[in-house]
PDB file of all heavy atoms in Angstrom:
ATOM      1  N   LEU G 275     -46.744   1.659 -26.523  1.00  0.00           N
ATOM      2  CA  LEU G 275     -45.396   1.203 -26.854  1.00  0.00           C
ATOM      3  C   LEU G 275     -45.489  -0.285 -27.163  1.00  0.00           C
ATOM      4  O   LEU G 275     -45.680  -1.098 -26.258  1.00  0.00           O
ATOM      5  CB  LEU G 275     -44.466   1.455 -25.666  1.00  0.00           C
ATOM      6  CG  LEU G 275     -43.059   0.877 -25.756  1.00  0.00           C
ATOM      7  CD1 LEU G 275     -42.282   1.534 -26.894  1.00  0.00           C
ATOM      8  CD2 LEU G 275     -42.331   1.068 -24.432  1.00  0.00           C
ATOM      9  N   PRO G 276     -45.396  -0.677 -28.451  1.00  0.00           N
ATOM     10  CA  PRO G 276     -45.477  -2.099 -28.805  1.00  0.00           C
ATOM     11  C   PRO G 276     -44.271  -2.848 -28.239  1.00  0.00           C
ATOM     12  O   PRO G 276     -43.154  -2.322 -28.231  1.00  0.00           O
ATOM     13  CB  PRO G 276     -45.429  -2.096 -30.331  1.00  0.00           C
ATOM     14  CG  PRO G 276     -45.534  -0.677 -30.751  1.00  0.00           C
ATOM     15  CD  PRO G 276     -45.145   0.182 -29.622  1.00  0.00           C
ATOM     16  N   LEU G 277     -44.496  -4.075 -27.725  1.00  0.00           N
ATOM     17  CA  LEU G 277     -43.418  -4.847 -27.116  1.00  0.00           C
ATOM     18  C   LEU G 277     -42.916  -5.917 -28.072  1.00  0.00           C
ATOM     19  O   LEU G 277     -43.675  -6.438 -28.892  1.00  0.00           O
ATOM     20  CB  LEU G 277     -43.904  -5.506 -25.828  1.00  0.00           C
ATOM     21  CG  LEU G 277     -44.220  -4.564 -24.676  1.00  0.00           C
ATOM     22  CD1 LEU G 277     -44.799  -5.344 -23.505  1.00  0.00           C
ATOM     23  CD2 LEU G 277     -42.996  -3.776 -24.240  1.00  0.00           C
ATOM     24  N   SER G 278     -41.632  -6.264 -27.938  1.00  0.00           N
ATOM     25  CA  SER G 278     -41.066  -7.368 -28.710  1.00  0.00           C
ATOM     26  C   SER G 278     -41.700  -8.671 -28.218  1.00  0.00           C
ATOM     27  O   SER G 278     -42.227  -8.708 -27.109  1.00  0.00           O
ATOM     28  CB  SER G 278     -39.556  -7.402 -28.522  1.00  0.00           C
ATOM     29  OG  SER G 278     -39.271  -7.763 -27.187  1.00  0.00           O
ATOM     30  N   PRO G 279     -41.644  -9.763 -28.999  1.00  0.00           N
ATOM     31  CA  PRO G 279     -42.285 -11.019 -28.565  1.00  0.00           C
ATOM     32  C   PRO G 279     -41.805 -11.462 -27.183  1.00  0.00           C
ATOM     33  O   PRO G 279     -42.599 -11.907 -26.359  1.00  0.00           O
ATOM     34  CB  PRO G 279     -41.862 -12.015 -29.645  1.00  0.00           C
ATOM     35  CG  PRO G 279     -41.625 -11.180 -30.853  1.00  0.00           C
ATOM     36  CD  PRO G 279     -41.108  -9.861 -30.364  1.00  0.00           C
ATOM     37  N   ALA G 280     -40.508 -11.337 -26.903  1.00  0.00           N
ATOM     38  CA  ALA G 280     -39.998 -11.769 -25.605  1.00  0.00           C
ATOM     39  C   ALA G 280     -40.599 -10.921 -24.482  1.00  0.00           C
ATOM     40  O   ALA G 280     -41.068 -11.437 -23.460  1.00  0.00           O
ATOM     41  CB  ALA G 280     -38.479 -11.669 -25.587  1.00  0.00           C
ATOM     42  N   ASN G 281     -40.596  -9.600 -24.672  1.00  0.00           N
ATOM     43  CA  ASN G 281     -41.155  -8.707 -23.655  1.00  0.00           C
ATOM     44  C   ASN G 281     -42.657  -8.899 -23.519  1.00  0.00           C
ATOM     45  O   ASN G 281     -43.213  -8.751 -22.434  1.00  0.00           O
ATOM     46  CB  ASN G 281     -40.836  -7.252 -23.988  1.00  0.00           C
ATOM     47  CG  ASN G 281     -39.388  -6.915 -23.619  1.00  0.00           C
ATOM     48  OD1 ASN G 281     -38.837  -7.523 -22.710  1.00  0.00           O
ATOM     49  ND2 ASN G 281     -38.808  -5.981 -24.352  1.00  0.00           N
ATOM     50  N   ALA G 282     -43.308  -9.232 -24.646  1.00  0.00           N
ATOM     51  CA  ALA G 282     -44.759  -9.461 -24.602  1.00  0.00           C
ATOM     52  C   ALA G 282     -45.076 -10.639 -23.691  1.00  0.00           C
ATOM     53  O   ALA G 282     -46.002 -10.593 -22.878  1.00  0.00           O
ATOM     54  CB  ALA G 282     -45.276  -9.717 -26.003  1.00  0.00           C
ATOM     55  N   ARG G 283     -44.249 -11.708 -23.809  1.00  0.00           N
ATOM     56  CA  ARG G 283     -44.484 -12.879 -22.947  1.00  0.00           C
ATOM     57  C   ARG G 283     -44.316 -12.492 -21.474  1.00  0.00           C
ATOM     58  O   ARG G 283     -45.061 -12.914 -20.600  1.00  0.00           O
ATOM     59  CB  ARG G 283     -43.505 -14.001 -23.313  1.00  0.00           C
ATOM     60  CG  ARG G 283     -43.908 -14.760 -24.581  1.00  0.00           C
ATOM     61  CD  ARG G 283     -43.284 -16.142 -24.629  1.00  0.00           C
ATOM     62  NE  ARG G 283     -41.835 -16.117 -24.608  1.00  0.00           N
ATOM     63  CZ  ARG G 283     -41.087 -15.854 -25.670  1.00  0.00           C
ATOM     64  NH1 ARG G 283     -41.639 -15.596 -26.847  1.00  0.00           N
ATOM     65  NH2 ARG G 283     -39.773 -15.863 -25.573  1.00  0.00           N
ATOM     66  N   LYS G 284     -43.306 -11.681 -21.198  1.00  0.00           N
ATOM     67  CA  LYS G 284     -43.109 -11.220 -19.814  1.00  0.00           C
ATOM     68  C   LYS G 284     -44.331 -10.445 -19.322  1.00  0.00           C
ATOM     69  O   LYS G 284     -44.859 -10.693 -18.246  1.00  0.00           O
ATOM     70  CB  LYS G 284     -41.891 -10.286 -19.728  1.00  0.00           C
ATOM     71  CG  LYS G 284     -40.551 -10.965 -19.895  1.00  0.00           C
ATOM     72  CD  LYS G 284     -39.449  -9.932 -19.627  1.00  0.00           C
ATOM     73  CE  LYS G 284     -38.088 -10.467 -20.015  1.00  0.00           C
ATOM     74  NZ  LYS G 284     -37.040  -9.450 -19.841  1.00  0.00           N
ATOM     75  N   ALA G 285     -44.790  -9.505 -20.147  1.00  0.00           N
ATOM     76  CA  ALA G 285     -45.893  -8.639 -19.721  1.00  0.00           C
ATOM     77  C   ALA G 285     -47.146  -9.454 -19.440  1.00  0.00           C
ATOM     78  O   ALA G 285     -47.909  -9.138 -18.523  1.00  0.00           O
ATOM     79  CB  ALA G 285     -46.163  -7.574 -20.783  1.00  0.00           C
ATOM     80  N   LEU G 286     -47.338 -10.522 -20.211  1.00  0.00           N
ATOM     81  CA  LEU G 286     -48.539 -11.349 -20.026  1.00  0.00           C
ATOM     82  C   LEU G 286     -48.448 -12.189 -18.754  1.00  0.00           C
ATOM     83  O   LEU G 286     -49.452 -12.721 -18.290  1.00  0.00           O
ATOM     84  CB  LEU G 286     -48.748 -12.246 -21.239  1.00  0.00           C
ATOM     85  CG  LEU G 286     -49.161 -11.475 -22.499  1.00  0.00           C
ATOM     86  CD1 LEU G 286     -49.273 -12.421 -23.706  1.00  0.00           C
ATOM     87  CD2 LEU G 286     -50.484 -10.734 -22.286  1.00  0.00           C
ATOM     88  N   ASN G 287     -47.243 -12.329 -18.183  1.00  0.00           N
ATOM     89  CA  ASN G 287     -47.103 -13.081 -16.942  1.00  0.00           C
ATOM     90  C   ASN G 287     -47.465 -12.273 -15.699  1.00  0.00           C
ATOM     91  O   ASN G 287     -47.456 -12.800 -14.589  1.00  0.00           O
ATOM     92  CB  ASN G 287     -45.657 -13.577 -16.801  1.00  0.00           C
ATOM     93  CG  ASN G 287     -45.441 -14.852 -17.588  1.00  0.00           C
ATOM     94  OD1 ASN G 287     -46.404 -15.558 -17.884  1.00  0.00           O
ATOM     95  ND2 ASN G 287     -44.208 -15.133 -17.941  1.00  0.00           N
ATOM     96  N   ALA G 288     -47.749 -10.997 -15.907  1.00  0.00           N
ATOM     97  CA  ALA G 288     -48.086 -10.151 -14.753  1.00  0.00           C
ATOM     98  C   ALA G 288     -49.431 -10.573 -14.176  1.00  0.00           C
ATOM     99  O   ALA G 288     -50.306 -11.052 -14.893  1.00  0.00           O
ATOM    100  CB  ALA G 288     -48.132  -8.686 -15.175  1.00  0.00           C
ATOM    101  N   LYS G 289     -49.577 -10.396 -12.857  1.00  0.00           N
ATOM    102  CA  LYS G 289     -50.813 -10.805 -12.182  1.00  0.00           C
ATOM    103  C   LYS G 289     -51.993  -9.951 -12.612  1.00  0.00           C
ATOM    104  O   LYS G 289     -53.138 -10.344 -12.518  1.00  0.00           O
ATOM    105  CB  LYS G 289     -50.632 -10.667 -10.661  1.00  0.00           C
ATOM    106  CG  LYS G 289     -49.724 -11.740 -10.077  1.00  0.00           C
ATOM    107  CD  LYS G 289     -50.183 -12.069  -8.643  1.00  0.00           C
ATOM    108  CE  LYS G 289     -49.577 -13.362  -8.151  1.00  0.00           C
ATOM    109  NZ  LYS G 289     -48.143 -13.267  -7.859  1.00  0.00           N
ATOM    110  N   SER G 290     -51.701  -8.684 -13.016  1.00  0.00           N
ATOM    111  CA  SER G 290     -52.762  -7.788 -13.459  1.00  0.00           C
ATOM    112  C   SER G 290     -52.209  -7.020 -14.649  1.00  0.00           C
ATOM    113  O   SER G 290     -51.033  -7.171 -14.979  1.00  0.00           O
ATOM    114  CB  SER G 290     -53.115  -6.827 -12.313  1.00  0.00           C
ATOM    115  OG  SER G 290     -52.054  -5.915 -12.109  1.00  0.00           O
ATOM    116  N   PRO G 291     -53.034  -6.220 -15.313  1.00  0.00           N
ATOM    117  CA  PRO G 291     -52.475  -5.453 -16.448  1.00  0.00           C
ATOM    118  C   PRO G 291     -51.399  -4.452 -16.039  1.00  0.00           C
ATOM    119  O   PRO G 291     -50.680  -3.945 -16.881  1.00  0.00           O
ATOM    120  CB  PRO G 291     -53.709  -4.725 -17.013  1.00  0.00           C
ATOM    121  CG  PRO G 291     -54.876  -5.488 -16.494  1.00  0.00           C
ATOM    122  CD  PRO G 291     -54.467  -6.053 -15.173  1.00  0.00           C
ATOM    123  N   LYS G 292     -51.301  -4.171 -14.723  1.00  0.00           N
ATOM    124  CA  LYS G 292     -50.325  -3.154 -14.300  1.00  0.00           C
ATOM    125  C   LYS G 292     -48.897  -3.660 -14.472  1.00  0.00           C
ATOM    126  O   LYS G 292     -48.486  -4.648 -13.874  1.00  0.00           O
ATOM    127  CB  LYS G 292     -50.548  -2.799 -12.827  1.00  0.00           C
ATOM    128  CG  LYS G 292     -51.690  -1.820 -12.619  1.00  0.00           C
ATOM    129  CD  LYS G 292     -51.561  -1.148 -11.267  1.00  0.00           C
ATOM    130  CE  LYS G 292     -52.741  -1.513 -10.378  1.00  0.00           C
ATOM    131  NZ  LYS G 292     -52.527  -1.116  -8.999  1.00  0.00           N
TER     132      LYS G 292
END
Side-chain angles (χ1 to χ4, degrees):
Chain G
L275 172 65
L277 292 175
S278 68
N281 282 332
R283 282 202 300 281
K284 289 186 190 176
L286 290 177
N287 278 338
K289 287 212 165 72
S290 70
K292 280 200 244 168

